[in-house]
């Protein structure tokens, strides 16, 4: 199921003139955080590391102007934003739901600047009241150091950044999966506490677990315990 879609239309990398436009868009903003906003964040996060550092100051200014609905002087980041799409390439980005998972499908045409610009200009198509929230998601994405995966989705949505906690999942079912408990066993608070201590010991580097990823695993266990004991 396609939850959100953004088509960025842009010139080829070797073209003498650099242009960018927006194509078809389906960017739901409700319920929060909004699948459309999550998609814009994924597009930005997927391409920001390829952005020339010399262009970042202009990007920050552009985001500020778009968020406030100001007139945008062109070109920006060496690309001219336009409505005409004739003769340009299309990059299609989607957020797809598969069961309880939300999967970003980000098309890469070796054109990172148009994709980041497309995400920013797409914010400008949203109602003014929504733009601050949308742009904050994009800003959060631009600071993301990792891959475009479940952890990014969790980060953008403001939920615990664990790969096992997809947006839209039932929290209790997720917690039962983390603890490998069935619903009947989870009714016993002492059993939940005991299982937490066992898994925490297994996850802690002091007991032989790998240091990499330990903090995330421990935070995941703590969140699962909170859910089951609430």
């Amino acid at each position: 199921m396609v939850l959100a879609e953004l088509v960025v239309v842009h010139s080829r990398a070797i073209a003498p003139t650099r242009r960018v436009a927006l194509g078809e868009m389906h960017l739901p903003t409700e319920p929060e955080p909004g699948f459309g906003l999550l998609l814009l964040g994924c597009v930005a996060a997927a391409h920001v590391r390829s952005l020339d550092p010399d262009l970042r100051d202009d990007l920050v200014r552009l985001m500020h102007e778009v968020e406030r609905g100001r007139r945008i002087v062109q070109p920006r980041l060496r690309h001219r934003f336009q409505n005409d799409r004739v003769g340009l390439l299309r990059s299609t980005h989607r957020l797809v739901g598969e069961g309880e998972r939300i999967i970003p499908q980000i098309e890469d045409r070796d054109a990172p600047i148009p994709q980041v610009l497309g995400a920013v200009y797409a914010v400008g198509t949203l109602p003014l009241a929504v733009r601050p929230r949308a742009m904050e998601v994009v800003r959060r994405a631009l600071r993301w150091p990792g891959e475009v995966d479940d952890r990014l989705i969790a980060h953008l949505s403001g939920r615990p950044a664990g790969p096992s906690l997809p947006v839209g999942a039932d929290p209790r079912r997720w917690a039962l999966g983390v603890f490998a408990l069935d619903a009947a066993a989870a009714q016993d608070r002492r059993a939940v506490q005991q299982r937490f201590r066992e898994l925490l010991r297994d996850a802690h580097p002091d007991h032989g677990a790998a240091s990499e990823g330990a903090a995330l695993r421990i935070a995941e266990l703590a969140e699962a315990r909170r859910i089951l004991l609430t």
Side-chain angles (χ1 to χ4, degrees):
M1 176 189 301
V2 176
L3 304 174
E5 181 176 76
L6 170 68
V7 176
V8 179
V9 187
H10 54 90
S11 52
R12 293 171 172 79
I14 60 173
T17 57
R18 300 173 182 178
R19 297 170 291 164
V20 62
L22 295 174
E24 296 80 5
M25 291 179 288
H26 173 55
L27 301 173
T29 61
E30 299 294 341
E32 290 192 28
F35 292 127
L37 308 193
L38 295 179
L39 176 59
L40 297 182
C42 289
V43 173
H47 297 95
V48 66
R49 277 176 286 183
S50 300
L51 196 65
D52 186 338
D54 292 340
L55 301 178
R56 289 179 181 259
D57 287 345
D58 191 27
L59 177 61
V60 170
R61 288 191 295 269
L62 175 63
M63 293 169 68
H64 181 82
E65 293 165 2
V66 169
E67 180 180 346
R68 286 158 179 76
R70 296 178 180 171
R71 176 177 173 271
I72 309 299
V73 177
Q74 298 294 331
R76 304 303 289 269
L77 279 68
R78 303 170 184 162
H79 285 69
R80 181 170 296 280
F81 183 60
Q82 61 184 43
N83 293 321
D84 183 15
R85 294 176 276 179
V86 176
L88 301 181
L89 296 176
R90 296 166 57 90
S91 295
T92 301
H93 311 295
R94 294 188 177 101
L95 211 58
V96 176
E98 292 187 3
E100 293 186 340
R101 291 194 65 201
I102 294 179
I103 302 173
Q105 296 181 345
I106 308 300
E107 189 171 9
D108 186 359
R109 286 187 176 270
D110 195 27
I113 296 177
Q115 312 311 325
V116 175
L117 285 173
V120 172
Y121 285 129
V123 173
T125 69
L126 302 175
L128 272 172
V130 178
R131 291 185 199 178
R133 176 160 60 92
M135 201 63 83
E136 178 53 35
V137 171
V138 175
R139 290 190 180 98
R140 198 179 300 166
L142 295 175
R143 297 191 294 267
W144 177 249
E147 300 300 319
V148 179
D149 55 18
D150 288 351
R151 292 173 300 165
L152 172 61
I153 295 291
H155 171 72
L156 297 178
S157 65
R159 302 185 67 171
S164 300
L165 183 55
V167 177
D170 177 79
R172 189 167 182 82
R173 183 184 299 177
W174 169 81
L176 289 172
V178 170
F179 276 24
L181 291 174
D182 59 31
Q187 297 298 318
D188 186 338
R189 296 178 66 88
R190 287 182 300 178
V192 171
Q193 292 282 28
Q194 180 179 348
R195 183 62 174 156
F196 172 74
R197 288 192 291 269
E198 292 171 353
L199 294 173
L200 183 64
R201 182 177 60 250
D202 292 343
H204 205 289
D206 290 350
H207 294 277
S211 297
E212 184 177 356
L216 178 61
R217 176 59 175 164
I218 291 169
E220 183 181 63
L221 292 172
E223 176 66 9
R225 179 180 65 168
R226 183 193 67 78
I227 292 170
L228 293 176
L229 294 181
T230 299

